[in-house]
Amino acid sequence: MTFEEIHKVYWPKVYRQCMGYMNDHDAAKDITQETFIKVWQHLPKFRNESSIGTWVFRIAANSCLRQISKDKKMPKSEFPNEIVEEILVNNEPLVEFLYKCISELPEVERIIISLELEELKQKEIAKIVGLTESNVRVKIHRIKEKLTKKFQKHDR
């Protein structure tokens, strides 16, 4: 794949992944951009030991974790106003609530569920987060249970 193809295919997915970590529109855009700069710089060295997607998502995850570490704070639990307005205009308050719930999960769980929502295979998610595939499968199940409980409480 050329850089242009990688950028076209993965930019929206990486941006959503970064939103899952940062929960801040501007920070997610900045880190997405930083991710693709690193992809462009290191693409000639890519050894095909994993899929290109796994590699790109790992770069994005590392960039997000570094930024969170630099900020020395957990991401905010509220969405930026422009995203809230966009979701409400599109009449998708449940999507807003879902991302709010995801932003309240522990770091590793946010990563896992964000990648699951991007429809990555569990094998790839395991490589990205450094867990076994069976551990990822269990964590996804438990995360979905947590989110379901939050939705059930929300609907009351």
Side-chain angles (χ1 to χ4, degrees):
M1 276 183 116
T2 67
F3 174 77
E4 290 77 16
E5 292 168 328
I6 294 167
H7 187 269
K8 183 177 179 181
V9 169
Y10 290 101
W11 195 95
K13 295 176 182 187
V14 169
Y15 171 76
R16 287 190 297 269
Q17 178 189 8
C18 292
M19 270 301 291
Y21 278 95
M22 306 308 295
N23 203 18
D24 177 285
H25 176 69
D26 292 329
K29 280 177 67 175
D30 289 346
I31 294 173
T32 300
Q33 185 66 29
E34 177 184 319
T35 297
F36 283 99
I37 290 170
K38 288 177 183 171
V39 168
W40 181 74
Q41 290 172 333
H42 298 288
L43 188 58
K45 299 175 194 169
F46 179 65
R47 299 183 304 249
N48 288 313
E49 292 175 1
S50 63
S51 75
I52 194 83
T54 300
W55 180 64
V56 171
F57 286 125
R58 183 75 240 164
I59 292 170
N62 286 338
S63 297
C64 288
L65 292 173
R66 266 193 302 283
Q67 186 61 46
I68 289 169
S69 179
K70 280 182 197 173
D71 292 345
K72 293 186 179 180
K73 64 178 181 174
M74 290 300 291
K76 301 171 199 156
S77 63
E78 293 186 53
F79 276 82
N81 288 338
E82 64 267 24
I83 293 178
V84 172
E85 289 169 11
E86 181 180 314
I87 290 171
L88 293 176
V89 166
N90 292 331
N91 200 19
E92 295 183 20
L94 289 179
V95 174
E96 173 189 356
F97 183 69
L98 172 64
Y99 279 101
K100 181 182 183 301
C101 292
I102 289 171
S103 74
E104 295 168 353
L105 294 170
E107 228 171 73
V108 172
E109 291 181 3
R110 282 196 316 266
I111 297 165
I112 291 170
I113 199 65
S114 294
L115 295 172
E116 173 74 5
L117 289 171
E118 289 299 329
E119 300 178 358
L120 257 69
K121 293 180 179 159
Q122 291 178 355
K123 184 176 182 177
E124 290 185 56
I125 295 172
K127 286 180 184 177
I128 292 168
V129 296
L131 298 171
T132 64
E133 193 174 341
S134 60
N135 197 335
V136 166
R137 193 171 14 267
V138 169
K139 286 191 176 292
I140 288 170
H141 177 75
R142 290 182 180 157
I143 294 166
K144 287 180 178 179
E145 284 180 339
K146 280 183 185 179
L147 293 173
T148 299
K149 286 178 184 175
K150 288 185 180 214
F151 268 82
Q152 288 169 342
K153 287 180 184 176
H154 178 70
D155 285 341
R156 290 182 189 160

